[in-house]
Amino acid sequence: MSTLERWTRWPAGDVPIRERHSRARLVLSLFGRIALLSTVVFGTFAEHHYEGWRLLPPIGWILAAAGLFTGWYFACRTQRLWQALACAGGLLVVAALAQEGEARTLASVIWCGLAVLAVVRLPLAFGLVTAGAALGGYSLGSGDSLLMVVAVAGGLGLLGYLLRLDSQARSAQRALLAQERAAQVAQAESAALAERARIAREIHDVLAHSLSAQLVHLEAARLMLDGGAERAEIRERVVAARRMAQDGLAETRQALSALRGEFAPVAEFVAGLAAQAGAGLTVDGVPRPLPAEAGLAVRRTAQEALTNARKHAPGGRVEVRLGYLDDAVELTVRNSGAPRGADPVLGGSGSGYGLLGMRERAELLGGELLAGPEEGGWRVQLRVPA
């Protein structure tokens, strides 16, 4: 900040949040203003005996001072410099008239109050000039000694500067609070977008797996129709495809429940999949609850790997191993090659994006997925932190 800006900028910039005062502070502020006004009114009419039409000037000075201070407050709040200076000039005139009319209490309150508020509210250069004019009027009209005038001027100047620093500190605090709230809103929006993306990814994976499995059975049914198979065998394939569609809907609900923390044990889920696929299962380590994302990755990888094994190597031997490591969980699915006579046409069904989706899911979690041929068969291995 340059020297010119330091002397001409307003002490507290506008912030997009208003300070909310407590009820006790509002009550104390109201009583303080009433007490100050009562003191001014009592002092004005007590120090000189006004009668008849002579009551009108002091009443007018008090009302004028109240109106000008109100206009001063709003001009400073909206940072309108020339309106604020005009109100300050009007207050100096009212104070001079009150002093001439022997309303010394009112004049002193206007001079001292204006001196303090000018330092607090106005840009520093204009505030010091206004405060100097107010204190000059006080020194000329009060009749106090030079020592008393210097003491009053120094005390009021110090009070105004301290109040200015306090106002700037509170303004900076409100600005930081506004920035923090804006950051929290942005963070909440980012979290909502991430949650939507995660839900979309889960639903995509569930549907991709379900549709791929349905396609396997429907393709088998088509081949049976072309080969003149028995009606019962064809019906069995169609019923299996229907069951896969129902399972897909159920798995979608389960995925959403898992994202909300309602997650069934992974070992139990993998055991059920292995039993349905007729695969062998080995569990190493002590099963433990897994984070939702890691558990979903294991579930989806197991489903996709077993579906691929059934699709590309029907009738082959499948082995599933689930390992609970110290800082990770590892899933390995191995299958042998298709036995002689298995129809290779089923291997062409599906979208072909299963491995890509599993690998992307693993990388998002900081893990890895390896897939490739092994001893005439195929191996899929997933490791994710958990």
Side-chain angles (χ1 to χ4, degrees), residues 172-197:
Q173 183 180 15
R174 292 195 299 270
L176 289 176
L177 180 60
Q179 293 177 2
E180 182 180 357
R181 291 182 178 177
Q184 290 176 351
V185 171
Q187 184 178 5
E189 292 177 352
S190 177
L193 291 175
E195 181 70 9
R196 292 174 185 174

Side-chain angles (χ1 to χ4, degrees), residues 205 208 304 308 311 351-360 369:
D205 290 349
E304 188 67 30
N308 287 342
K311 182 168 60 175
S351 63
Y353 295 109
L355 287 178
L356 178 61
M358 289 188 290
R359 183 172 290 109
E360 289 177 350
L369 184 136

Side-chain angles (χ1 to χ4, degrees), residues 15-328:
V15 294
I17 180 172
R18 295 185 60 184
E19 185 178 12
R20 299 183 63 182
H21 301 300
S22 63
R23 183 183 298 272
R25 183 171 179 177
L26 293 175
V27 172
L28 288 176
S29 176
L30 177 61
F31 275 104
R33 295 175 184 179
I34 293 175
L36 178 61
L37 181 61
S38 301
T39 300
V40 171
V41 173
F42 177 78
T44 299
F45 289 99
E47 60 190 3
H48 187 79
H49 186 64
Y50 296 99
E51 294 181 352
W53 64 269
R54 294 181 179 273
L55 290 171
L56 296 180
I59 293 175
W61 299 330
I62 293 174
L63 293 177
L68 288 170
F69 269 121
T70 302
W72 158 278
Y73 171 79
F74 285 107
C76 292
R77 189 176 182 86
T78 56
Q79 297 185 354
R80 298 177 180 178
L81 180 60
W82 298 115
Q83 289 87 332
L85 293 178
C87 291
L91 288 169
L92 292 175
V93 173
V94 172
L97 294 175
Q99 181 68 24
E100 287 295 326
E102 299 183 358
R104 297 183 180 86
T105 300
L106 175 60
S108 298
V109 169
I110 293 175
W111 281 325
C112 295
L114 182 60
V116 173
L117 292 177
V119 178
V120 175
R121 294 287 185 179
L122 289 177
L124 194 56
F126 299 96
L128 291 177
V129 172
T130 304
L135 292 175
Y138 171 77
S139 63
L140 293 175
S142 65
D144 295 335
S145 64
L146 178 61
L147 180 62
M148 180 62 69
V149 171
V150 172
V152 172
L156 292 177
L158 179 60
L159 175 62
Y161 187 68
L162 292 177
L163 291 177
R164 180 186 181 92
L165 293 179
D166 178 70
S167 177
Q168 289 178 332
R170 286 188 288 107
S171 177
Q173 183 180 15
R174 292 195 299 270
L176 289 176
L177 180 60
Q179 293 177 2
E180 182 180 357
R181 291 182 178 177
Q184 290 176 351
V185 171
Q187 184 178 5
E189 292 177 352
S190 177
L193 291 175
E195 181 70 9
R196 292 174 185 174
R198 187 169 64 159
I199 291 175
R201 186 172 63 249
E202 294 303 329
I203 294 177
H204 167 269
D205 290 349
V206 169
L207 293 179
H209 166 76
S210 175
L211 293 176
S212 177
Q214 293 176 54
L215 191 57
V216 169
H217 290 287
L218 292 176
E219 183 67 15
R222 184 188 68 82
L223 294 174
M224 289 179 179
L225 284 173
D226 294 342
E230 294 294 331
R231 177 184 177 88
E233 295 178 357
I234 300 173
R235 182 178 183 279
E236 181 181 352
R237 290 292 183 175
V238 174
V239 169
R242 178 177 178 274
R243 184 174 62 252
M244 289 294 178
Q246 293 174 334
D247 293 343
L249 293 176
E251 288 172 11
T252 302
R253 298 189 186 97
Q254 291 175 4
L256 296 178
S257 298
L259 290 173
R260 300 186 183 103
E262 305 165 3
F263 206 179
V266 172
E268 179 181 335
F269 180 83
V270 173
L273 286 179
Q276 291 178 6
L281 174 65
T282 303
V283 178
D284 296 334
V286 179
R288 63 177 183 272
L290 301 178
E293 287 285 0
L296 283 171
V298 173
R299 291 163 59 107
R300 295 292 169 259
T301 302
Q303 288 177 321
E304 188 67 30
L306 290 173
T307 298
N308 287 342
R310 183 169 60 248
K311 182 168 60 175
H312 296 286
R317 187 180 68 258
V318 182
E319 295 292 335
V320 180
R321 175 185 171 274
L322 180 63
Y324 289 89
L325 310 179
D326 292 337
D327 57 351

